[in-house]
Amino acid sequence: MKERLRQIAIDAGCAGFGVTDSGEFAGVADAIEHRNETGFSGRIRFTFKSPELAADVRRSFPWAESLVVISWSYVPEAGSPGSASAGTGRIARFATVDHYNGLRRAAGAIATELQERGHRGEVLIDDDRLVDRAAAVRAGIAWWGKSTMVLDPKHGPWLLLGSIATDARLPTDDAMRRDCGSCDACIPACPTGAIVGPGMLDARRCLAHWLQTAGVFPVELRAPLGDRVYGCDDCLDACPPGFKRLGLISDTQGRVDLLDLLSATDTELLGRYGHFYIPRRRPRILRRNAILALGNTYADCGSRDDGDDCSHALVVLADLLAGPDEQLRLHSAWAIGRIGGSEAIRLLAEAQGAERVPAVRSELAAALAAATGATQE
Ligand code: B12
């Protein structure tokens, strides 16, 4: 039966296939608790809200005997984000289109085969009841990288993971006898220093975390955010075992026109980016991200000779600054300050007169100080 399941996975396009038992994952609950105690888990819920549950599938599925684990490689199909240009934003490769689709289909086919043979089969992908990477490592299809990504020799870290819990007792695979050795290329590659040690991520500094989290984007991370709108690939890009896959890329998917994104309706945004994980599907988070990216891609443009290039961006941001959403006003104030120049100063000063919300008022004051300081330099 295991060989038949492997064949189904291969036919469906999976990069890896392995089996592990359903026993508790040693050290995982402690690791999650450590991330919660240190604050490294930031505002993440998922597996972090119930460490015991995430580390032991039998707590959710007492009948489970085995976990069938699969991986799906989405590069080169994801394409490269293309070259940066002002006014455009970047989407991480795992989200350029719904790459989970193929993974879900493969997992569903395996679950169906198990059920047709009279067994249970429960698909777990990005589920709070399993740490997907721990399952992949123990099933021998990947090793734990220092970026916390798991990787395999052929695809590097460019893998999505899924598991099927089953009551079938299948022969298990051995874990890979590999690790990153002396390579630590991902650690300095993180633009915000979020990888605080091998295998240890401080999510409070991880751009990917904040891009999918509602609320005010931390001010110290706004400039390092650069042109990112959703997800961050920097620690994956730096990972040598993944270079081979990146070399296969020739197209330029994964860039979005930021002004176009900001002019889209909620329905249009959910239609285009409905596959993103955005809590409670709030398009406002995407708009907030696009506003910051717009400020970054036109940074200091207003005070340079090429200032005309950003005049359209300033018009759009000025609209948002006068709009009903205080969170978008707050981030627009920052973006206008980042663009700078006399027009930015005029817009910010004008908004100050009308703004009543204290948090937005202080953001306007900071933006005005930044823009005025930059102009005087
Ligand atoms: C929460 C979460 C996030 C959070 C936190 C990530 C994190 N590093 O924990 C945020 C939002 C930041 C995030 C970002 C991303 N994520 Co995410 N995320 C998850 C989720 C839902 C849970 C992860 C989890 O439970 N971690 C638990 C903690 C305890 O694990 P840990 O901190 O890594 O601790 C382990 C290591 O330290 C290791 N370890 C212990 N000692 C040592 C020592 C050494 C030397 C080493 C090397 C390791 C090591 O053991 C610990 C566990 O026991 C999973 C889906 C799922 N249900 O599993 C997807 C998942 C991990 N994410 C995924 C992806 C693709 C991403 C992004 C690449 C997306 C993007 N491009 O923006 C980024 C990558 C950022 C990064 N470097 O991790 C994939 C990863 C696939 C892979 N190949 O690894 C997953 C598995 C989703 C999926 N189904 O495919 N993610």
Side-chain angles (χ1 to χ4, degrees), residues 90 189-193 205-208 211 217-229 231-232 234 292-293 296 334 338:
R90 212 177 343 158
C190 175
T192 53
R205 292 196 236 168
C206 177
L207 295 172
L211 283 166
F217 205 95
V219 68
E220 69 282 5
L221 298 181
R222 292 181 197 162
L225 180 67
D227 62 352
R228 294 173 189 81
V229 175
C232 177
D234 285 22
L292 297 177
N296 284 329
W334 181 87
R338 181 121 169 97

Side-chain angles (χ1 to χ4, degrees), residues 153-333:
K154 188 166 170 209
H155 308 90
W158 303 107
L159 299 169
L160 295 174
L161 307 172
S163 296
I164 302 96
T166 178
D167 59 356
R169 192 175 295 210
L170 299 165
T172 57
D173 292 291
D174 293 332
M176 265 185 196
R177 281 175 201 270
R178 287 184 95 123
D179 58 34
C180 298
S182 59
C183 178
D184 56 11
C186 54
I187 297 178
C190 175
T192 53
I195 306 169
V196 291
M200 189 88 74
L201 183 93
D202 182 350
R204 292 171 301 185
R205 292 196 236 168
C206 177
L207 295 172
H209 169 42
W210 287 107
L211 283 166
Q212 64 177 41
T213 301
V216 175
F217 205 95
V219 68
E220 69 282 5
L221 298 181
R222 292 181 197 162
L225 180 67
D227 62 352
R228 294 173 189 81
V229 175
Y230 188 68
C232 177
D233 279 339
D234 285 22
C235 62
L236 290 80
D237 279 339
C239 178
F243 290 173
K244 289 190 285 270
R245 301 299 289 180
L246 292 182
L248 299 172
I249 286 174
S250 59
D251 61 342
T252 55
Q253 292 177 48
R255 289 211 82 80
V256 288
D257 184 307
L258 296 167
L259 294 176
D260 182 49
L261 189 157
L262 287 169
S263 67
T265 62
D266 283 7
T267 316
E268 283 165 346
L269 286 180
L270 291 174
R272 279 183 224 166
Y273 308 114
H275 60 285
F276 288 5
Y277 168 78
I278 294 281
R280 281 178 261 156
R281 296 172 64 80
R282 274 179 283 189
R284 176 200 214 191
I285 300 178
L286 276 180
R287 293 199 180 97
R288 176 204 64 187
N289 299 348
I291 288 168
L292 297 177
L294 198 60
N296 284 329
T297 67
Y298 284 117
D300 301 325
C301 165
S303 40
R304 290 195 307 257
D305 293 343
D306 60 357
D308 278 354
D309 291 352
C310 46
S311 55
H312 190 42
L314 281 174
V315 170
V316 172
L317 290 170
D319 261 2
L320 289 158
L321 196 58
D325 186 322
E326 63 182 69
Q327 206 179 93
L328 298 188
R329 293 207 298 282
L330 185 151
H331 292 89
S332 298

Side-chain angles (χ1 to χ4, degrees), residues 88-105:
T88 67
R90 212 177 343 158
I91 290 174
R93 295 189 176 92
F94 82 109
T96 48
V97 296
D98 190 358
H99 295 293
Y100 276 85
N101 231 334
L103 178 74
R104 269 188 233 107
R105 232 180 307 115

Side-chain angles (χ1 to χ4, degrees), residues 26-28 31-32 35 44 46-48 74 92 94 100 125-128 130-133 144-150 157 159-161 198-201 203 206 208-209 212 231-233 235-236:
V28 168
I32 295 178
R35 309 292 185 269
I44 299 173
F46 300 110
T47 45
F48 291 84
Y74 53 96
F94 82 109
Y100 276 85
I125 296 175
D126 263 348
D127 196 291
D128 301 349
L130 179 66
V131 175
D132 294 333
R133 288 162 168 166
W144 221 299
K146 292 180 186 170
S147 62
T148 78
M149 295 297 293
V150 301
L159 299 169
L160 295 174
L161 307 172
M200 189 88 74
L201 183 93
C206 177
H209 169 42
Q212 64 177 41
C232 177
D233 279 339
C235 62
L236 290 80

Side-chain angles (χ1 to χ4, degrees), residues 312-376:
H312 190 42
L314 281 174
V315 170
V316 172
L317 290 170
D319 261 2
L320 289 158
L321 196 58
D325 186 322
E326 63 182 69
Q327 206 179 93
L328 298 188
R329 293 207 298 282
L330 185 151
H331 292 89
S332 298
W334 181 87
I336 293 173
R338 181 121 169 97
I339 293 174
S342 51
E343 177 60 5
I345 292 172
R346 191 188 68 75
L347 292 170
L348 293 167
E350 193 180 283
Q352 256 191 336
E355 186 58 62
R356 292 283 160 266
V357 177
V360 186
R361 282 186 70 82
S362 52
E363 196 72 48
L364 280 165
L368 204 50
T372 315
T375 308
Q376 281 166 357

